[in-house]
Amino acid sequence: MPDSAAGLAGGNGDANVRVMTQNMYVGSDFQALADARTPQQFFAAVTLTYQQILASRPSERAAAVAREVARDEPDLVALQEADIVRTGAPPATNVQSDQLKSLLAALDRLGRHYEAVAIVPEEDIEAPSTLGFDVRLSVRNVILARVGPSRPVKVSNLQVQTYAIQHVQPSPVGSITSRNGWASVDATVDGRTFRFVTTHLEPLPPFSVQRAQAQDLVASAADTDLPVVFAGDFNTTANDPQNPTFPTYQFLLNSGFTDAWREKHPTDPGFTCCQAPDLKNPVSALSLRIDLVLFRGDFGVKNIHLVGDRQSDRTPSGLWPSDHAGIVATLRVPKTGHR
């Protein structure tokens, strides 16, 4: 079970921080777009994808994620796919879904107040549909910080960077380039400072792109004497050495990072991905561990657990909050400068 708020305050000289990572999932796996071979098929796939996103009830799912956040009260939250969907004539401006806005509003209603202290703008893609309007998807990764009188973490030194190497996907209407990147803040807890970083590495082959992004992440975001926490969707299967993405995970460990989940639960697979694309599967289908909390430095792992993976976490419509489970970790922060 999560530590109590009183437990976070220390009492024995410890400085503790609770962090969370959650891929919010836009609501489609985009398979129809990948399968399209002609412009007409592509425009029809845009329509289908848009309808899939609406059917996944993004605001209802954001409210479910808000309940997870409210239950654990993490100090810092790493979000992936906190996306905006817009429609209209180009450029499309009519907002149909804004998962970040929905999440923050739901948290306010629950009396838990957070602010977005970092936003990584990723793809911003717009295409015609067969419905008489364009559909535009703006992909974002976000860092949230808890605000209020209850010992909030102080953040500074915001950094946002796009990876030099990106995945390029051909389509019948031209190439689509991913825009993965990372964001970081330096966080101070009870006089101890560490760097908190979120990212969403490329999921598609060739996996040399993903590995190059991980190398970039370590060389740039982790270029500090501060202790470092990485939290995000790394799209590398930490539970399967035979998977072609596993070398990315191994690289991160070889770069001096420790897997917080494996540190606390060495025999528990801790699966975080993936539910069915429509989120309606009655039994959890999680079978991969690709969402990670990694650290470099003398952190202690007081607690780490999954959220959004239980039947009781499902929305009133019976949907999983996301196709990913989230992770919440309570860490003891080392003294600044200890690595």
Side-chain angles (χ1 to χ4, degrees):
M1 293 296 292
D3 299 310
S4 67
L8 280 182
N12 58 357
D14 285 351
N16 300 311
V17 66
R18 185 170 293 152
V19 302
M20 176 178 177
T21 183
Q22 176 71 66
N23 183 316
M24 297 192 70
Y25 182 56
V26 66
S28 173
D29 62 359
F30 303 103
Q31 190 59 51
L33 293 171
D35 291 342
R37 294 295 177 264
T38 68
Q40 292 73 23
Q41 290 175 349
F42 188 86
F43 302 147
V46 170
T47 298
L48 177 59
T49 300
Y50 172 64
Q51 292 169 338
Q52 289 171 337
I53 292 171
L54 295 185
S56 78
R57 298 177 180 261
S59 61
E60 182 178 301
R61 293 190 292 105
V65 174
R67 289 192 291 274
E68 298 167 10
V69 175
R71 184 169 61 233
D72 282 290
E73 294 188 304
D75 298 295
L76 296 166
V77 183
L79 301 174
Q80 305 83 49
E81 295 188 32
D83 300 344
I84 305 176
V85 178
R86 302 178 179 93
T87 59
T93 57
N94 300 321
V95 176
Q96 304 299 327
S97 170
D98 184 334
Q99 287 177 294
L100 176 59
K101 183 177 181 180
S102 295
L103 174 64
L104 292 175
L107 284 167
D108 283 343
R109 290 194 296 272
L110 293 169
R112 305 293 192 273
H113 305 299
Y114 285 78
E115 63 177 342
V117 294
I119 296 178
V120 185
E122 296 199 331
E123 297 95 325
D124 193 346
I125 302 171
E126 182 169 342
S129 70
T130 60
L131 301 171
F133 52 74
D134 278 13
V135 177
R136 177 183 174 191
L137 174 64
S138 301
V139 183
R140 302 175 298 177
N141 296 337
V142 179
I143 295 176
L144 302 181
R146 183 163 60 94
V147 296
S150 180
R151 204 185 59 83
V153 171
K154 297 179 181 178
V155 298
S156 62
N157 191 27
L158 164 66
Q159 298 184 68
V160 176
Q161 184 169 305
T162 300
Y163 293 124
I165 297 178
Q166 304 287 357
H167 180 267
V168 180
Q169 178 76 29
S171 83
V173 295
S175 297
I176 299 173
T177 301
S178 299
R179 198 172 180 270
N180 306 68
W182 58 265
S184 73
V185 292
D186 293 347
T188 301
V189 184
D190 292 340
R192 301 183 184 186
T193 302
F194 68 98
R195 179 160 295 172
F196 183 73
V197 184
T198 189
T199 193
H200 188 187
L201 297 184
E202 177 58 46
L204 298 176
F207 297 117
S208 58
V209 173
Q210 180 190 99
R211 288 193 288 276
Q213 291 178 349
Q215 292 165 358
D216 190 343
L217 179 71
V218 171
S220 54
D223 183 18
T224 176
D225 288 331
L226 294 172
V228 179
V229 174
F230 286 168
D233 177 359
F234 289 81
N235 280 307
T236 174
T237 49
N239 63 297
D240 183 6
Q242 304 307 313
N243 190 285
T245 67
F246 185 80
T248 301
Y249 174 70
Q250 193 62 57
F251 164 77
L252 293 166
L253 298 186
N254 292 344
S255 299
F257 283 83
T258 298
D259 182 343
W261 183 269
R262 196 168 72 175
E263 186 84 353
K264 195 69 173 179
H265 303 296
T267 62
D268 185 338
F271 296 142
T272 65
C273 190
C274 295
Q275 308 294 6
D278 65 3
L279 305 175
K280 295 179 179 179
N281 48 299
V283 177
S284 177
L286 301 178
S287 62
L288 302 171
R289 187 163 72 89
I290 63 176
D291 303 86
L292 306 172
V293 174
L294 308 173
F295 61 82
R296 188 185 69 193
D298 191 24
F299 288 90
V301 184
K302 298 193 68 174
N303 179 280
I304 185 168
H305 60 279
L306 301 180
V307 294
D309 62 326
R310 300 173 298 181
Q311 291 289 337
S312 59
D313 295 324
R314 299 176 77 165
T315 73
S317 298
L319 304 174
W320 294 102
S322 169
D323 64 339
H324 289 240
I327 305 171
V328 178
T330 303
L331 307 175
R332 185 192 68 245
V333 182
K335 292 181 180 179
T336 301
H338 286 212
R339 292 181 55 166

